[in-house]
Amino acid sequence: MHDDRTLVEARLKRVLDERIRPAVYPASVPLDVAVWNAPGEPVPVAEGLAAEPVPTAVGQRWGAPWGTSWFRVTGTVPKEWAGRTVEAVLDLGFDENMPGFQCEGLVYRPDGTPVKGLNPRNQWVRIAAPAEGGEEVRLHIEAASNPVILDYHPFLPTRLGDKETAGSEPQYKLARMDLAVLDETVWQLVIDLEVLGELMHELPADSGRRHDIVRAVGRALDAVDLQDVNGTAAAARALLEGVLATPAEPSAHRISAVGHAHIDSAWLWPLRETVRKVARTTSNMTALLDDEPDFVFAMSQAQQWAWIKEHRPEVWAKVKKAVADGRFVPAGGMWVESDTNMPGSEAMARQFVHGKRFFLDEFGVENDEAWLPDTFGFAAGLPQIIKAAGSKWLLTQKISWSQTNRFPHHTFHWEGIDGTRIFTHFPPVDTYNCSMKGSEIAHAAKNFKDKGVARHSLAPTGWGDGGGGTAREMIAKAARLRDLEGSATVRWETPAQFFEKAEAEYPNAPVWVGELYLELHRATLTSQAGTKQGNRRSEHLLREAELWAATAAVRCAAYAYPYEQLDRIWKTVLLHQFHDILPGSSIAWVHREARATYAALARELNGIIDTAQRALAGEGTDALVFNSTPHSRHGVPAGGAAPATSDGEAAIASRAQGGFVLDNGLLRVEIDARGLVVSAYDLVADRESVAPGQALNLPQLHADFPNMWDAWDVDEFYRNTVTDLTRADEVTAGEGASVRIARTFGDSRMTQVLSLAPGARRLDIDTEVDWHETEKFLKLAFPLDVHAERYASETQFGHYYRATHTNTSWEAAKFEACNHRFVHIEEPGWGVALVNDSTYGHDVTRTVRAEDAGTTTTVRVSLLRAPRFPDPETDQGVHRFRHALVPGADIGDAVREGYRVNLPERRLAGGRAVAPLVSVDNDAVVVTAVKLADDGSGDVVVRFHEAYGGRAKATLALGFPAADVTVTDLLERPLADATPPALSGDTVAVRLRPFELVTLRFGRRAD
């Protein structure tokens, strides 16, 4: 037989596009349309429904950027349509290629009942099935005219990303507002042909199954009368029954489809618009659950559930019912799908505390899985946090975006820094927006790395990013793929059902140790410095607020612990750790609001701290220093307050060759006439820090124009061009032992103060940059005379080692990485730490010097970038950073100085010193939280971990009378398999493994 396969395939495409799909709605009549444009921000539903609209029509433009228009559509179902299925087809001016990225709508009945959402791939509203004829139709559409930011030519700078700069030009044109007859037979024929056509393309060209499908499709197309599609669709469908009924091979890959709508809590839209996106999507999904008995939908991010409850109670009622029925599934157990690289230890823990507690309180649901499909890499401390929250599984697919190396597994055990292992799955479908296309299902089966030992994978199914969720077409395709020869099999299942099956079939899954580094989106560690600084400072202010409020609540009868206030603030900070806010990849509006929010939270938290400290200090004139760090400081105990001791003196002198010398007896620092550090001499160890011929604190400027994803990416070729900013406008002595350096470059200005405090083996570097560059990357370089094959960077509840060399492509790909408060490099017996108060991105490289064969290890901190998409004014303006160079530092010094630079002393006049609520006798055991239990019981909760990477013994001394002690999970619930340490008087002895995390809950006794 001649091979006419390509002829049939081309025929199928044209007949579907030009004849069969248009016949899905064979008859239609226009609806009458009127519109009311809400002034300013969105209005409550009742106000929108009550507003008096003015007539408009299809073809009219509507919708200023970020505006809201309330459309009223009315009409009558024609009598002759009796017995037919009737739908309203409501096209607001959609581009079907952009679901979630443009205008959207939520349809209401006149009484305010939500019906369903409208988006580019979901434009229908069921009116009657079957219709009686003569029904009056009246619907209201709350339409959001969100502008298109990521257009067909992506990454072009646009002012549309902020309401303040977007203008008022209408963005859309009404395309269709009709009542229409739905021919369900034709609609089913479309699905039949799409499934078979897509499957056919994925099968080997010489396979018998492919040719069976080709022949069946050819016969079906022969049966379709192109002038009477509706009259001949049933006959065409009958000719496809055979090929659709052939069962899958027993060895076929098995896919658990989970209905899904990955909704970014902010990205190319502001937070307030996400509230409406969630309402639109969940309205669609609850309606779909009513129509499709096999369908299961999962939604993560407790914050988004809370938004529905708070802002859309009419939608919330439907969601609650669907959850009770077991088919609308809370997933993930986190407050938002956060970034996991940059959030600090406690913040990462609280993501799970607040997320899991919301689902437990509202629905009695405990999440066993962490659900993070789109997060930009995963810190090595995360497995322990997941386990400590009472969960045991992780799902993500973002690692499939890595540019250099293909991850070797899809199902595996992920081991964190402390040895905790989490069963992890990367869906081989390689998307969190699966639409049940044949190409997607075939890709999942072919791509699955664990063939021969495992057979299950998961497919998050539904339009995402901007929401929309699962469409009825996807469900119809899944029904045909349930058991179809040539395809993987598909079943609707919950995340838990998938993980239970996957774990049971693959108990000896391979192990991946260490971080899950995404070889992409590395610039998210630097973009939007103001947002990152707001996050870091909020985390530390929350530490202080909880510590001093708990101490005051225990010690001062008149002080009330601010439970609700702290809960609200934590949730706000956690929201802003969402993986497109904290990483700096959202529109200007999002970051403008974030900066204002962080400023407001700082005022509020400082108020809590001040009130608690004043209650503790009492009346008096003693100069008290409050120490919030986990280590003693200037004679003040950790978590306590007392007068500070003096640490000697520091001096400044002129340098013979120009510049200055700072000396405090521990460290001698030479700063040359260029304002660069040419010597940082550890007087105790008799050791120079600066590599020969080099200078520290060297500002370097790179061109920074990645191939795509401007705010997200920095491509390795950025290193090919660099300008050392060595010219100083002034180098002058400052107050105390300090030097002030001012530089200008391009349109920007940098001012630095380098200072040496008495008694400190630490050079403080305060940097202010008035930044007005475009597509540039600013770094500070520290070339150190240290031979190190690896370096440590702080992560959650510990630190993680990365190579300084590039032996393999895996190591070479980590040319920009994340740290929290410190980076540390060392040779045996001597090291250097570089600590910071608000930066995350850095790189570490090594070279061997020709002149003496010594090794120079260069640490560079990333300060600022200037991408133009999606915020064309990214980081323009003034920024302040604090870093400190700590020569002679071991890992303990790095930990201690990292806390000190982030938690400055607070000074207050008072009448009494404050003893710590909890103290620890081993600096390797670091307390990350002291607080009162969230349940309002008054119990004291203390969380701590081993921070040096070794085993540790410690005694916790309590500054209050304790009745009992319990080992708990992060949610402060007793751990059934944990033996509590013995309470001896008011002390507790503990032993910890490397990086082990422990939470203890102490009941208080009344003495």
Side-chain angles (χ1 to χ4, degrees), residues 310-492:
E310 178 183 359
H311 296 285
R312 296 298 170 103
E314 66 283 359
V315 179
W316 178 247
K318 291 188 172 186
V319 168
K320 285 193 72 173
K321 179 183 181 302
V323 173
D325 292 340
R327 298 175 56 216
F328 198 123
V329 181
M334 295 176 68
W335 190 246
V336 295
E337 290 181 11
S338 72
D339 179 80
T340 75
N341 287 311
M342 291 176 281
S345 302
E346 273 303 306
M348 201 72 253
R350 304 300 175 95
Q351 285 287 350
F352 287 91
V353 169
H354 287 282
K356 294 196 75 168
R357 187 171 288 145
F358 181 89
F359 292 142
L360 283 164
D361 290 347
E362 295 294 337
F363 308 114
V365 171
E366 173 99 20
N367 294 105
D368 286 326
E369 78 287 336
W371 183 275
L372 290 163
D374 191 31
T375 296
F376 308 152
F378 299 88
L382 188 57
Q384 180 174 207
I385 297 171
I386 293 172
K387 183 179 180 181
S391 297
K392 57 184 179 180
W393 301 316
L394 169 67
L395 177 136
T396 183
Q397 70 84 41
K398 197 67 173 188
I399 301 300
S400 70
W401 286 40
S402 286
Q403 289 178 316
T404 306
N405 298 285
R406 289 183 62 79
F407 198 81
H409 318 295
H410 281 107
T411 304
F412 60 100
H413 292 286
W414 178 30
E415 182 178 317
I417 55 174
D418 73 311
T420 297
R421 292 180 177 180
I422 294 295
F423 188 78
T424 302
H425 180 66
F426 293 173
V429 72
D430 282 349
T431 178
Y432 50 76
N433 294 328
C434 177
S435 62
M436 285 292 138
K437 278 179 154 180
S439 56
E440 294 169 337
I441 302 306
H443 177 75
K446 295 173 184 175
N447 187 41
F448 188 55
K449 295 280 195 304
D450 303 285
K451 298 182 186 75
V453 287
R455 192 177 295 172
H456 285 83
S457 72
L458 186 146
T461 302
W463 302 119
D465 291 314
T470 315
R472 62 182 177 183
E473 291 81 5
M474 300 174 194
I475 294 174
K477 287 187 174 185
R480 289 156 174 80
L481 295 170
R482 184 177 179 86
D483 191 11
L484 183 63
E485 184 186 358
S487 172
T489 64
V490 176
R491 302 282 191 282
W492 293 107

Side-chain angles (χ1 to χ4, degrees), residues 129-209:
E132 295 179 359
E135 292 97 332
E136 294 297 323
V137 176
R138 184 185 181 96
L139 298 171
H140 298 262
I141 308 166
E142 181 190 17
S145 50
N146 303 330
V148 175
I149 305 295
L150 191 65
D151 214 333
Y152 285 98
H153 188 163
F155 317 122
L156 289 180
T158 175
R159 297 286 177 179
L160 291 171
D162 194 332
K163 185 175 63 172
E164 294 184 353
T165 60
S168 58
E169 184 69 22
Q171 299 293 292
Y172 298 100
K173 183 188 293 184
L174 282 182
R176 186 176 183 183
M177 294 275 152
D178 288 346
L179 283 178
V181 171
L182 172 69
D183 189 324
E184 296 191 62
T185 302
V186 175
W187 187 86
Q188 295 287 358
L189 176 61
V190 170
I191 303 298
D192 290 344
L193 290 171
E194 286 183 350
V195 167
L196 290 170
E198 291 163 3
L199 175 60
M200 180 169 60
H201 281 284
E202 300 304 322
L203 293 169
D206 58 354
S207 72
R209 175 62 170 164

Side-chain angles (χ1 to χ4, degrees), residues 499-524:
F499 274 109
E500 286 165 357
K501 291 179 179 178
E503 193 170 27
E505 77 170 359
Y506 205 11
N508 298 315
V511 177
W512 180 269
V513 178
E515 68 182 332
L516 295 170
Y517 179 92
L518 177 64
E519 296 169 354
L520 193 74
H521 292 358
R522 302 167 181 89
T524 58

Side-chain angles (χ1 to χ4, degrees), residues 371-709:
W371 183 275
L372 290 163
D374 191 31
T375 296
F376 308 152
F378 299 88
L382 188 57
Q384 180 174 207
I385 297 171
I386 293 172
K387 183 179 180 181
S391 297
K392 57 184 179 180
W393 301 316
L394 169 67
L395 177 136
T396 183
Q397 70 84 41
K398 197 67 173 188
I399 301 300
S400 70
W401 286 40
S402 286
Q403 289 178 316
T404 306
N405 298 285
R406 289 183 62 79
F407 198 81
H409 318 295
H410 281 107
T411 304
F412 60 100
H413 292 286
W414 178 30
E415 182 178 317
I417 55 174
D418 73 311
T420 297
R421 292 180 177 180
I422 294 295
F423 188 78
T424 302
H425 180 66
F426 293 173
V429 72
D430 282 349
T431 178
Y432 50 76
N433 294 328
C434 177
S435 62
M436 285 292 138
K437 278 179 154 180
S439 56
E440 294 169 337
I441 302 306
H443 177 75
K446 295 173 184 175
N447 187 41
F448 188 55
K449 295 280 195 304
D450 303 285
K451 298 182 186 75
V453 287
R455 192 177 295 172
H456 285 83
S457 72
L458 186 146
T461 302
W463 302 119
D465 291 314
T470 315
R472 62 182 177 183
E473 291 81 5
M474 300 174 194
I475 294 174
K477 287 187 174 185
R480 289 156 174 80
L481 295 170
R482 184 177 179 86
D483 191 11
L484 183 63
E485 184 186 358
S487 172
T489 64
V490 176
R491 302 282 191 282
W492 293 107
E493 293 184 312
T494 67
Q497 288 171 328
F498 160 74
F499 274 109
E500 286 165 357
K501 291 179 179 178
E503 193 170 27
E505 77 170 359
Y506 205 11
N508 298 315
V511 177
W512 180 269
V513 178
E515 68 182 332
L516 295 170
Y517 179 92
L518 177 64
E519 296 169 354
L520 193 74
H521 292 358
R522 302 167 181 89
T524 58
L525 302 173
T526 305
S527 295
Q528 296 289 358
T531 299
K532 291 171 172 58
Q533 192 167 77
N535 172 75
R536 177 76 70 83
R537 292 182 178 172
S538 295
E539 289 180 354
H540 287 85
L541 286 169
L542 275 161
R543 173 196 174 90
E544 291 187 83
E546 288 184 338
L547 169 65
W548 301 120
T551 307
V554 170
R555 301 272 173 75
C556 308
Y559 183 86
Y561 191 80
Y563 290 102
E564 293 183 1
Q565 190 178 11
L566 288 170
D567 179 80
R568 173 178 49 77
I569 293 171
W570 262 118
K571 288 173 179 174
T572 302
V573 172
L574 298 178
L575 166 60
H576 286 80
Q577 291 176 341
F578 178 75
H579 66 251
D580 276 308
I581 303 179
L582 179 54
S585 47
S586 288
I587 55 173
W589 188 349
V590 173
H591 293 290
R592 172 172 56 81
E593 288 190 332
R595 291 190 294 271
T597 297
Y598 285 130
L601 293 181
R603 290 190 294 271
E604 196 172 356
L605 287 166
N606 278 310
I608 294 172
I609 294 163
D610 183 68
T611 300
Q613 289 181 342
R614 289 185 183 280
L616 288 163
E619 297 295 327
T621 58
D622 293 344
L624 299 177
V625 172
F626 282 78
N627 176 19
S628 301
T629 74
H631 309 98
S632 63
R633 186 176 190 175
H634 298 147
V636 182
T645 59
S646 173
D647 287 317
E649 297 181 354
I652 182 170
S654 295
R655 183 171 175 268
Q657 305 94 321
F660 298 91
V661 179
L662 308 178
D663 193 324
N664 66 359
L666 300 173
L667 190 63
R668 185 177 67 238
V669 177
E670 295 188 35
I671 301 163
D672 70 5
R674 302 171 298 171
L676 302 179
V677 176
V678 292
S679 175
Y681 202 86
D682 180 352
L683 296 169
V684 176
D686 191 23
R687 170 73 184 260
E688 177 62 69
S689 306
V690 184
Q694 300 293 313
L696 309 185
N697 189 44
L698 171 64
Q700 294 183 311
L701 193 65
H702 295 268
D704 182 19
F705 189 63
N707 289 344
M708 56 194 304
W709 299 109

Side-chain angles (χ1 to χ4, degrees), residues 20 230 258 279 390 410 465 475 546 634 714 738 776 795 820 892 909 922 979:
I20 301 179
N230 302 90
V258 178
H410 281 107
D465 291 314
I475 294 174
E546 288 184 338
H634 298 147
V714 55
S738 69
K776 295 289 192 294
T795 189
H820 287 184
N922 183 345
T979 302

